[in-house]
Amino acid sequence: MAVTIKDVAEAAGVSISTVSYALNNTGPVSEEKKHRIMETVRELGYVPNGMAKSLKSRKNGFIGYFAHSLYGVVYGEVLRGIENEMDRNGQEMIAAKCGPMQDITHISRLLRERMVDGAIIFSEMIPNDLVNLLANEQCPVVVLDRELEAPYVSTVLINNEDSAYRVGEYIHSLNLKKVACLIGRGFDGEHRLAGFRQAAEAFGLDCPEEWCIDAGWEEKEAYEATIRFIRRGRRPEVIFAFNDQMASGCIRALQDMLLRVPEDISVIGMDDIAMSAVMTPSLTTVHRPLCELGEIAARTLLEMMRGEPSRRIVLETSLIQRESCIKNWAK
């Protein structure tokens, strides 16, 4: 006899509605209960009716791309890479935004009921336990910018820790020591901060905790945060912004306060977006292969759909030296 949602609820010690909320992301469920429900679903082998109907050998003909955003310099480049690879293979795709303001119920349903033949996920809004539950031989998944080891799930990411470590090494090579950071949260932010902290310790850089300022990945926030920071009397020799948008806001703020970049304060970014080469001054930054990230994610998914095993792929970066940093010859 087929396992029912009632069986799951009884085994997990929760109500049927709570199980439904957890599976569909449609209501408040604590992380502890959600984890217990997902474990029970796996143990009992529960398959929702809609999913069971579509677990046939036929293919739907589409893959799904679900991202925090579908536009902007970073997400746009990744999407361009995915489209390039899909076009080369004659593969149709659908894309949907699942940022913090979106209801992801419809996206969960697309995956849960196997309405796509595979998926690329570039959003933290779809949690690991849901990815683990949904990924299977008929619908493999590739996740970007997160670490996840599970059957039928591949991880493709950029080496954030090493990238930030190289920035610290480069700052040391310029004889600069006093460093402030404009940081962002999430997977990327945590790993970049960890890598830079390792470099700061290795090379004796001076970067106090209070000099690591959350600027939300946005140019406007970075502009305002930089002005507040400098007006408190802080004067770093270099500011490391965790993406180029924040670096752009930082440079504008410094210039508006009549500080010269790089003569008074050097600035380093990360991503190497198009505008970084044409800013004044042009931005020293870390090139992240974003288009290649999308291409490799798409290629990996198509290979998994043909029966290849899941894998973990890490892409390396390179430091691009431009005009926004200057060596301190006085030391």
Side-chain angles (χ1 to χ4, degrees):
M1 184 179 295
V3 177
T4 67
I5 192 171
K6 182 180 178 182
D7 297 328
V8 174
E10 290 177 351
V14 298
S15 67
I16 292 175
S17 60
T18 300
V19 175
S20 178
Y21 290 156
L23 293 177
N24 293 287
N25 287 291
T26 53
V29 182
S30 70
E31 287 302 316
E32 184 273 328
K33 282 186 180 179
K34 183 181 289 187
H35 179 74
R36 189 164 77 241
I37 290 166
M38 295 301 187
E39 285 296 316
T40 304
V41 166
R42 279 190 283 271
E43 289 170 3
L44 298 182
Y46 171 66
V47 180
N49 290 337
M51 185 192 297
K53 290 175 184 176
S54 59
L55 284 178
K56 296 181 288 186
S57 60
R58 72 172 181 85
K59 294 292 184 179
N60 297 290
F62 291 92
I63 67 98
Y65 172 58
F66 308 113
H68 184 85
S69 176
L70 298 180
Y71 61 92
V73 288
V74 172
Y75 292 100
E77 275 295 286
V78 173
L79 180 55
R80 183 166 70 89
I82 293 172
E83 288 178 332
N84 289 345
E85 190 64 25
M86 293 302 171
D87 288 345
R88 280 193 286 266
N89 287 272
Q91 173 66 55
E92 298 290 341
M93 64 178 287
I94 58 175
K97 179 179 178 180
C98 47
M101 302 303 292
Q102 279 71 46
D103 180 358
I104 67 166
T105 304
H106 64 294
I107 295 171
S108 298
R109 182 170 175 266
L110 281 172
L111 293 169
R112 192 177 64 251
E113 299 189 5
R114 306 295 186 245
M115 295 180 183
V116 293
D117 299 327
I120 298 171
I121 296 175
F122 193 11
S123 172
E124 296 179 351
M125 295 303 296
I126 301 177
N128 286 348
D129 55 4
L130 185 59
V131 175
N132 289 338
L133 175 66
L134 299 174
N136 78 354
E137 188 175 6
Q138 285 75 35
C139 185
V141 174
V142 173
V143 293
L144 304 182
D145 269 10
R146 75 169 87 178
E147 292 277 6
L148 181 55
E149 185 176 344
Y152 308 107
V153 178
S154 285
T155 294
V156 182
L157 48 84
I158 290 174
N159 196 334
N160 282 294
E161 286 195 27
D162 183 69
S163 301
Y165 185 93
R166 289 172 180 268
V167 169
E169 185 177 36
Y170 176 65
I171 290 171
H172 173 68
S173 75
L174 297 176
N175 288 331
L176 303 175
K177 184 172 182 179
K178 297 171 65 177
V179 188
C181 294
L182 295 175
I183 70 174
R185 301 298 175 182
F187 180 89
D188 280 354
E190 291 169 5
H191 284 256
R192 291 176 198 181
L193 185 57
F196 186 75
R197 286 292 186 203
Q198 292 170 19
E201 183 175 349
F203 300 110
L205 303 179
D206 183 11
C207 182
E209 186 72 33
E210 62 271 19
W211 282 30
C212 293
I213 310 148
D214 189 353
W217 300 110
E218 298 295 332
E219 181 175 349
K220 183 175 183 293
E221 280 193 57
Y223 177 91
E224 295 168 350
T226 301
I227 288 180
R228 288 194 300 270
F229 179 76
I230 298 297
R231 283 179 177 170
R232 294 192 189 107
R234 277 73 181 268
R235 184 63 67 89
E237 295 172 300
V238 57
I239 297 177
F240 172 30
F242 281 18
N243 71 5
D244 288 350
Q245 288 114 306
M246 291 192 293
S248 174
C250 173
I251 288 175
R252 286 199 302 110
L254 294 174
Q255 291 173 337
D256 285 352
M257 288 185 288
L258 303 181
L259 291 169
R260 299 168 301 164
V261 178
E263 292 84 357
D264 296 321
I265 299 177
S266 293
V267 177
I268 303 176
M270 185 175 287
D271 284 340
D272 192 27
I273 62 177
M275 73 172 187
S276 64
V278 296
M279 296 167 53
T280 302
S282 59
L283 181 64
T284 294
T285 185
V286 175
H287 175 74
R288 296 205 305 152
L290 297 169
C291 185
E292 184 184 358
L293 177 72
E295 290 179 341
I296 290 175
R299 192 177 311 137
T300 300
L301 179 62
L302 294 173
E303 290 170 353
M304 292 172 68
M305 290 165 60
R306 293 191 289 265
E308 294 291 323
S310 59
R311 70 207 74 167
R312 179 181 182 270
I313 300 170
V314 181
L315 306 184
E316 300 301 331
T317 62
S318 56
L319 183 71
I320 308 297
Q321 300 180 41
R322 296 196 179 105
E323 300 170 344
S324 65
C325 289
I326 192 170
K327 187 177 181 70
N328 186 345
W329 295 101
K331 293 183 179 179

